[in-house]
């Protein structure tokens, strides 16, 4: 019988596809069909089932609200072919009445951000098919038959420009092909799970992956044509599904070639586009994608790879002239030769260690997994393996690397790709922007595997939700537990190594994560005035505190050496008060964000109003101290008048013992160390320096000789220029010793040189060595009697003293 062309015309007056507006995008596509339909109805009025039009015989049937028109050609050439007859079907969509070609374009080009995702999706579908077969075979062992092991094979073909993914799973019947591949967003896995939930006796298999029904169509990201050959153990026939990327229909036919028969399972062949065939038919690239996305799939995945082997071959040498031909029975020389060949190679040999019981896994196995999964060569410092149950269930193994990142940008970059997210052992993403881990813990590496993460359809984007926040909170808590356990261990070397590599990250947490201050603060380590060679914790500092001490004292400088020699510490060290040394740029900001620890506030010894009265209550005569301050009030006012706006005030100090003076910062505003850091910022705004810079207060030591001399000058010669210059130089020198930067270093240098010239001029009996001066002296005529009677006077260096010595 001749082939029959059938078409269904359904009346959908509310659909935009059947709008009579010529501006409608679908108007041109449906206008011809509507015209034919109206002509048929008008001419026949549904009273006659057959009629003639354009020389063809038409037959009209009515099915509900649809009208089916069949055209029976009077003469059609018979097609000679060995293949079974083809049937053509239109795609259906479970998302409502939608233009199929536009829907396919949306799925292919909008859901997925990378073309390489197609291999992950197809391998996941193959894994689901194997899981279904394994599950069903528990109750029906005949489904397995003798079709071989449960496995997945991927074979690229550069010559043909194809890549084939085959599995020995459950396969599909013709009806399942139409239902699953012919209906967009129809998930066979989702239906399978729904059936399991209805039958409580069979239970529920949560290891199935594809539940959105669009993963298969990711093949059209790289393929211009896709052919699916499938054989279900429930059917005796093998069917072929074929579709092109730009088509809204597909073809299903029965496989009749005996050489292409499958014993069981599905084989998907992608005919790649010209732009993609060179990339995705390269065997190394294919194997890399499998190891990245699917290396922990529970079924073996084999890829077709080129290998090499060494073989021995007999070497045939032609006899040289004059040599006899060796007899046939004599052994010939052999040589080794490297030959290449193609064979299957297991791509997912690394097993998901997080699926095992932590009690059964050795430390060496954790280290081996870490090195393979993250391409590291050093063992991790520490690791933790845990399973979380309750509101959110997930398994995780997280590590502290053995070395900090080489690039400093990784310290502040949350997208370090160190956390790999898996869903049912299939890699989803490692590109997160702080969803799973905060930025200051971005150095932590590990894997997180969950069965119920709130992913979108493409499974590449982790949606923000309550579940994600719970996961983040538990991952952070487990990380802190791991670090604290490392800090409390007897092996102090491990934590010292951790702190050297990742101490800056932990300090960053003091700034960014106020909610975890109680977990972060015990982990901090600093040098101190009592421990200059070994780092100590804040708990150790508090244990060593005096009973009278109610604060934790610290000083922020640019180096350990400058911290030790800072004038702010003189009285504190003298009274055996421990001071923390903050020598890294981030230290001061981190401590200021903490404010207190165990009810002890942090106090900067370089700021004004340093309270030390409780330590000197028994050593200081209050009456004498009050008289001393009263005595130096005039000096403070005189020095403030000389310095003007350079300082906010001058006062007697209670923190100095050997230095003549010091410049301290006000309570509010930047300290000297912070001002130095702000000046060094590449993109810093210099206009904010004056606004944020703390006021400077000059404190003088009344017991120092220089201050006593200036006090005498203030009372006896307040207008003396030398005394005024001494005050200026004293201020400039205090700037440097207190950690500030002089406004004009060259001007300060000139003042120091001038004072040195005055103090040292002629002190050691300087010998004039200028040859020009000596020559001029020789050429001057002299009286012989005078020269003969004159003797050179030798002056001892100790007797030389200039008349205007400022230090006299």
């Amino acid at each position: 019988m001749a082939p029959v062309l059938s078409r269904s015309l359904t009346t959908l007056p509310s659909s935009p596809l059947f709008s009579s507006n010529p501006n409608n995008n679908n108007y041109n596509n449906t206008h011809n069909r509507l015209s034919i339909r109206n002509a048929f109805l008008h001419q026949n009025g549904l009273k006659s089932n057959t009629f003639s039009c354009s020389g063809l015989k038409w037959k009209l049937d009515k099915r509900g609200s649809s009208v089916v028109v069949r055209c029976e050609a009077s003469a059609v050439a018979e097609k000679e072919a060995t293949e079974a007859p083809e049937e053509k079907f239109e795609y259906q969509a479970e998302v409502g009445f939608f233009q199929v070609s536009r829907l396919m374009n949306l799925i292919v080009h909008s859901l997925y951000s990378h073309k390489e995702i197609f291999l992950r999706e197809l391998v996941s579908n193959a894994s689901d098919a194997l899981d279904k077969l394994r599950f069903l075979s528990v109750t029906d062992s005949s489904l397995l038959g003798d079709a071989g092991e449960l496995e997945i094979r991927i074979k690229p073909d550069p010559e043909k420009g194809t890549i084939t993914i085959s599995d020995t799973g459950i396969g599909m019947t013709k009806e399942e092909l139409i239902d699953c591949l012919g209906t967009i967003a129809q998930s066979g896995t989702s239906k399978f799970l729904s059936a399991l939930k209805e039958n409580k006796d069979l239970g529920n298999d949560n290891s199935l992956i594809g539940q959105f029904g669009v993963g298969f169509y990711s093949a059209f990201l790289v393929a211009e044509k896709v052919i699916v050959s499938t054989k279900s153990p429930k059917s005796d026939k093998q069917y072929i599904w074929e579709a092109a990327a730009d088509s809204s229909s597909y073809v299903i036919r029965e496989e009749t070639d005996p050489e292409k028969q499958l014993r069981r399972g599905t084989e998907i062949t992608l005919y790649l586009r010209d732009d993609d065939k060179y990339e995705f038919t390269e065997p190394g690239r294919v194997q890399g994608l499998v190891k990245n996305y699917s290396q922990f799939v529970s079924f073996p995945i084999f890829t077709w790879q080129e290998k090499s082997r060494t073989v021995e071959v007999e070497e045939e040498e032609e006899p040289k002239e004059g040599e006899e031909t060796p007899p046939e029975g004599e052994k010939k020389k052999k040589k080794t030769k490297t030959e290449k060949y193609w064979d299957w190679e297991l791509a997912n040999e690394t097993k998901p260690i997080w699926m095992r019981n932590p009690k059964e896994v050795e430390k060496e196995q954790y280290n081996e997994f870490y090195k393979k999964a993250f391409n590291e060569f050093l063992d991790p410092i520490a690791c933790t393996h845990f399973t979380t149950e309750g509101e959110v269930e997930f398994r995780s193994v997280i590590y502290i690397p053995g070395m900090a990142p080489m690039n400093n940008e990784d310290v502040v970059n949350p997208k370090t790709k160190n956390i790999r997210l898996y869903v049912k052992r299939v890699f989803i993403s490692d590109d997160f922007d702080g969803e799973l881990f905060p930025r200051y813990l971005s150095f932590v590496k590990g894997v997180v595997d969950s069965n119920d993460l709130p992913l979108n359809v493409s499974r590449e984007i982790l949606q923000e939700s309550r579940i994600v926040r719970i996961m983040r909170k538990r991952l952070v808590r487990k990380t802190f537990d791991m670090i604290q356990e490392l800090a409390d261990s007897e092996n102090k070397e491990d934590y010292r190594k951790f702190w050297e590599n990742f101490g800056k990250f932990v300090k960053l947490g003091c700034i960014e994560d106020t909610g975890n201050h109680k977990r972060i603060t015990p982990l901090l380590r600093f040098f101190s005035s009592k421990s200059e060679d070994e780092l100590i914790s804040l708990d150790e500092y508090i244990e060593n505190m005096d009973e009278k001490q109610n604060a934790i004292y610290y000083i922020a400088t640019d180096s350990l050496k400058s911290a030790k020699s800072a004038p702010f510490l003189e009285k504190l060290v003298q009274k055996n008060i421990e001071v923390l040394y903050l020598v890294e740029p981030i230290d001061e900001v981190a401590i200021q964000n903490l404010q207190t620890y165990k009810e002890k506030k942090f106090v900067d010894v370089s700021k004004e109003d340093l309270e030390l009265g409780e330590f000197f209550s028994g050593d200081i005569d209050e009456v004498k101290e009050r008289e001393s301050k009263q005595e130096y009030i005039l000096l403070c006012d005189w020095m403030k008048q000389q310095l003007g706006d350079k300082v906010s005030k001058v006062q007697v100090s209670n923190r100095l013992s050997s230095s003549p003076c010091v410049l301290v910062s006000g309570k509010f505003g930047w300290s000297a160390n912070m001002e130095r850091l702000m000046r060094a910022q590449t993109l810093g705004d210099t206009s904010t320096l004056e606004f944020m810079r703390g006021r400077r207060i000059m404190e003088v030591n009344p017991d120092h000789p220089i201050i006593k001399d200036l006090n005498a000058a203030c009372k006896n010669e307040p207008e003396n220029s030398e005394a005024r210059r001494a005050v200026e130089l004293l201020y400039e020198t205090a700037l440097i010793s207190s950690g500030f930067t002089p406004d004009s270093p060259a001007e300060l240098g000139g003042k120091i040189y001038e004072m040195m010239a005055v103090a040292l001029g002629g002190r050691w009996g300087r010998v004039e060595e200028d040859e020009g001066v000596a020559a001029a002296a020789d050429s001057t005529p002299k009286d012989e009697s005078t020269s003969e009677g004159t003797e050179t006077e030798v002056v001892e260096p100790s007797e030389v003293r200039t008349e205007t010595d400022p230090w006299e």
Side-chain angles (χ1 to χ4, degrees):
M1 183 177 177
V4 175
L5 172 66
S6 67
R7 177 156 310 194
S8 176
L9 301 174
T10 306
T11 304
L12 295 171
S14 62
S15 172
L17 290 178
F18 292 94
S19 173
S20 60
N21 182 5
N23 295 326
N24 193 308
N25 293 333
N26 301 302
Y27 176 78
N28 295 329
N29 296 333
T30 60
H31 179 70
N32 294 332
R33 289 187 289 170
L34 291 174
S35 299
I36 294 174
R37 173 181 177 275
N38 292 336
F40 289 159
L41 297 179
H42 179 73
Q43 177 179 346
N44 298 279
L46 291 180
K47 295 178 181 179
S48 175
N49 292 333
T50 60
F51 53 89
S52 298
C53 181
S54 302
L56 297 176
K57 187 177 180 179
W58 298 84
K59 185 176 180 180
L60 187 144
D61 296 325
K62 184 177 181 182
R63 298 179 183 176
S65 60
S66 301
V67 178
V68 179
V69 181
R70 290 181 177 274
C71 174
E72 298 184 0
S74 58
V76 180
E78 295 288 342
K79 182 181 179 181
E80 296 180 0
T82 58
E83 296 182 353
E86 296 181 350
E87 296 183 61
K88 193 172 185 179
F89 299 87
E90 295 288 335
Y91 284 108
Q92 301 296 322
E94 282 196 344
V95 293
F97 191 83
F98 198 84
Q99 189 173 350
V100 175
S101 59
R102 294 177 60 190
L103 178 60
M104 286 291 292
N105 183 73
L106 176 67
I107 291 174
V108 172
H109 297 97
S110 299
L111 290 184
Y112 303 100
S113 56
H114 303 287
K115 288 184 176 181
E116 63 189 35
I117 296 298
F118 82 94
L119 192 59
R120 181 195 71 183
E121 296 296 313
L122 296 180
V123 171
S124 297
N125 288 345
S127 175
D128 275 357
L130 294 167
D131 263 320
K132 291 177 188 177
L133 178 62
R134 182 169 59 181
F135 184 85
L136 295 175
S137 64
V138 175
T139 55
D140 187 0
S141 59
S142 63
L143 295 176
L144 290 175
D146 57 349
E149 300 293 332
L150 301 180
E151 62 185 16
I152 303 171
R153 294 183 181 268
I154 305 173
K155 185 176 183 180
D157 191 336
E159 295 182 359
K160 296 181 180 179
T162 63
I163 181 172
T164 303
I165 300 99
S166 60
D167 65 78
T168 56
I170 190 63
M172 288 178 280
T173 62
K174 179 180 178 181
E175 291 74 15
E176 290 172 338
L177 275 175
I178 298 173
D179 191 30
C180 296
L181 302 189
T183 304
I184 301 172
Q186 169 67 37
S187 172
T189 298
S190 180
K191 282 190 174 183
F192 185 77
L193 291 176
S194 298
L196 293 181
K197 290 180 181 179
E198 292 177 2
N199 190 347
K200 297 181 180 179
D201 295 336
L202 295 178
N204 187 9
D205 186 0
N206 286 328
S207 63
L208 297 177
I209 302 166
Q211 300 182 30
F212 293 107
V214 295
F216 168 78
Y217 303 104
S218 64
F220 291 107
L221 286 167
V222 296
E224 58 185 7
K225 184 175 69 172
V226 177
I227 296 178
V228 179
S229 182
T230 181
K231 171 68 169 61
S232 172
K234 300 178 182 179
S235 174
D236 297 333
K237 296 181 179 180
Q238 178 176 332
Y239 293 96
I240 296 177
W241 182 97
E242 181 177 343
D246 55 354
S247 175
S248 61
S249 62
Y250 59 92
V251 171
I252 294 179
R253 65 175 180 271
E254 183 182 343
E255 179 62 78
T256 57
D257 188 349
E259 297 181 358
K260 298 181 181 180
Q261 289 291 331
L262 301 175
R263 290 188 291 177
R264 184 190 66 230
T266 302
E267 182 180 273
I268 302 176
T269 302
L270 279 61
Y271 290 81
L272 303 176
R273 304 176 191 271
D274 293 338
D275 297 339
D276 303 311
K277 63 173 58 177
Y278 297 104
E279 177 181 0
F280 296 111
T281 57
E282 203 279 314
R285 171 68 166 156
V286 172
Q287 189 176 42
L289 291 177
V290 172
K291 289 187 174 182
N292 185 45
Y293 289 102
S294 307
Q295 66 171 324
F296 300 117
V297 169
S298 56
F299 300 98
I301 303 175
F302 296 92
T303 58
W304 190 246
Q305 297 292 322
E306 184 180 22
K307 300 182 178 182
S308 61
R309 59 190 173 192
T310 303
V311 296
E312 290 185 350
V313 295
E314 294 182 350
E315 184 178 12
E316 296 183 359
E317 296 182 357
E318 296 183 358
K320 299 180 181 179
E321 295 182 0
E323 294 183 358
E324 296 182 357
T325 304
E328 295 181 358
E330 185 178 346
K331 294 184 179 179
K332 297 181 179 180
K333 294 182 180 180
K334 292 184 177 182
K335 64 177 182 179
T336 58
K337 178 182 177 181
T338 302
E339 65 176 11
K340 295 184 178 181
Y341 67 101
W342 290 86
D343 196 4
W344 294 105
E345 181 177 323
L346 182 63
N348 59 336
E349 57 184 354
T350 305
K351 301 302 179 183
I353 199 170
W354 63 85
M355 301 300 295
R356 299 172 58 183
N357 188 341
K359 297 180 180 179
E360 300 175 355
V361 184
E362 300 293 335
K363 181 179 179 181
E364 291 74 15
Q365 294 174 312
Y366 283 121
N367 294 347
E368 183 181 359
F369 173 82
Y370 168 77
K371 292 178 180 179
K372 287 185 177 180
F374 297 99
N375 295 323
E376 292 284 346
F377 62 94
L378 293 177
D379 288 338
I381 299 177
C383 74
T384 181
H385 179 190
F386 60 93
T387 301
T388 301
E389 298 178 351
E391 295 179 275
V392 182
E393 296 184 5
F394 65 91
R395 297 172 179 265
S396 180
V397 178
I398 53 179
Y399 297 88
I400 296 177
M403 183 175 64
M406 301 297 293
N407 191 352
N408 289 331
E409 293 181 359
D410 292 341
V411 177
V412 294
N413 182 15
K415 296 184 178 181
T416 55
K417 299 184 181 297
N418 286 340
I419 300 298
R420 299 173 62 85
L421 174 65
Y422 292 82
V423 174
K424 302 179 179 72
R425 300 180 306 281
V426 175
F427 174 68
I428 299 300
S429 179
D430 58 1
D431 189 9
F432 302 112
D433 193 7
E435 289 94 342
L436 290 179
F437 267 91
R439 181 172 68 155
Y440 67 93
L441 292 179
S442 59
F443 63 91
V444 177
K445 296 185 177 183
V447 295
V448 178
D449 189 0
S450 176
N451 293 342
D452 53 358
L453 278 178
L455 303 176
N456 69 345
V457 177
S458 67
R459 304 206 296 244
E460 296 178 74
I461 303 174
L462 186 62
Q463 303 294 336
E464 181 64 27
S465 69
R466 185 180 61 89
I467 296 178
V468 178
R469 290 194 295 270
I470 294 174
M471 288 186 63
R472 172 192 170 106
K473 184 176 180 180
R474 294 185 180 178
L475 286 170
V476 170
R477 186 182 64 189
K478 286 292 184 179
T479 301
F480 278 123
D481 291 343
M482 173 176 58
I483 299 175
Q484 188 63 54
E485 184 179 350
L486 188 67
D488 296 338
S489 65
E490 297 180 357
N491 189 356
K492 300 298 182 182
E493 183 64 22
D494 286 343
Y495 192 77
R496 186 193 64 79
K497 183 179 179 182
F498 163 80
W499 187 254
E500 288 179 357
N501 286 284
F502 307 108
K504 294 179 180 178
F505 290 82
V506 178
K507 294 172 184 176
L508 183 62
C510 298
I511 303 171
E512 295 188 342
D513 192 356
T514 56
N516 281 307
H517 276 178
K518 290 184 178 180
R519 293 188 175 97
I520 296 174
T521 312
L523 303 176
L524 298 176
R525 297 291 185 271
F526 301 100
F527 291 106
S528 73
S529 57
K530 291 184 179 180
S531 180
E532 298 178 354
D533 300 324
E534 186 176 351
L535 294 166
I536 66 169
S537 65
L538 294 178
D539 290 324
E540 293 173 327
Y541 179 95
I542 293 177
E543 289 177 4
N544 299 332
M545 285 174 56
D546 189 273
E547 294 180 356
K548 300 178 181 180
Q549 186 174 342
N550 58 3
I552 300 174
Y553 297 102
Y554 70 89
I555 182 172
T557 61
D558 59 344
S559 67
L560 191 62
K561 184 177 181 180
S562 61
K564 295 177 183 178
S565 58
F568 306 101
L569 308 180
E570 293 174 356
K571 277 287 179 70
L572 293 168
V573 174
Q574 183 179 353
K575 291 298 179 180
N576 200 30
I577 302 174
E578 191 172 13
V579 180
L580 296 177
Y581 295 157
L582 311 186
V583 296
E584 292 187 353
I586 196 175
D587 287 350
E588 185 175 2
V589 183
I591 290 296
Q592 288 174 353
N593 277 269
L594 292 176
Q595 296 183 351
T596 61
Y597 179 62
K598 291 186 177 180
E599 300 181 355
K600 305 289 184 181
K601 63 179 181 179
F602 291 94
V603 175
D604 187 351
V605 298
S606 68
K607 295 287 185 79
E608 66 172 324
D609 296 339
L610 180 64
E611 297 293 339
L612 298 175
E614 64 270 16
F615 299 103
F616 303 99
S617 57
D619 302 338
I620 296 179
D621 186 352
E622 295 182 0
V623 177
K624 183 178 180 181
E625 182 184 9
R626 189 163 50 251
E627 292 177 353
S628 176
K629 288 184 178 181
Q630 188 70 25
E631 180 183 356
Y632 284 89
I633 287 179
L634 182 61
L635 173 64
C636 293
D637 293 340
W638 180 69
M639 293 181 67
K640 173 65 174 72
Q641 182 180 3
Q642 303 303 318
L643 297 175
D645 294 336
K646 294 180 181 179
V647 296
S648 61
K649 64 178 178 180
V650 180
Q651 63 186 19
V652 177
S653 176
N654 65 342
R655 72 185 87 203
L656 298 176
S657 60
S658 58
S659 299
C661 64
V662 69
L663 280 178
V664 300
S665 303
K667 286 185 177 181
F668 308 101
W670 290 335
S671 64
N673 181 66
M674 186 60 64
E675 184 178 330
R676 174 183 60 83
L677 294 175
M678 292 298 105
R679 286 179 179 272
Q681 295 299 311
T682 305
L683 301 178
D685 186 5
T686 56
S687 62
T688 61
L689 289 176
E690 293 298 327
F691 177 74
M692 291 299 299
R693 186 173 65 181
R695 60 176 187 157
R696 297 172 181 175
I697 300 170
M698 190 171 189
E699 294 187 357
V700 297
N701 180 9
D703 298 327
H704 198 278
I706 295 178
I707 301 302
K708 291 181 178 180
D709 289 341
L710 288 177
N711 189 33
C714 167
K715 294 178 179 179
N716 301 327
E717 297 183 47
E719 301 298 328
N720 186 280
S721 60
E722 296 295 334
R724 290 175 176 272
R725 290 169 59 193
V727 171
E728 289 287 342
L729 184 60
L730 195 65
Y731 167 76
E732 299 285 353
T733 307
L735 270 178
I736 298 176
S737 63
S738 301
F740 294 97
T741 303
D743 295 333
S744 178
E747 184 179 348
L748 172 61
K751 293 178 181 179
I752 295 176
Y753 296 151
E754 183 180 354
M755 296 295 291
M756 291 178 65
V758 173
L760 302 179
R763 182 179 292 273
W764 295 289
R766 181 175 59 220
V767 178
E768 198 69 54
E769 296 181 354
D770 193 336
E771 295 181 358
V773 176
D778 293 340
S779 62
T780 303
K782 297 181 180 179
D783 186 11
E784 292 181 358
S785 60
T786 304
S787 60
E788 290 177 358
T790 304
E791 294 182 359
T792 304
E793 181 182 1
V794 179
V795 181
E796 294 295 331
S798 59
E799 299 177 2
V800 177
R801 179 172 292 274
T802 59
E803 296 179 358
T804 58
D805 191 345
W807 309 112
E808 184 178 3

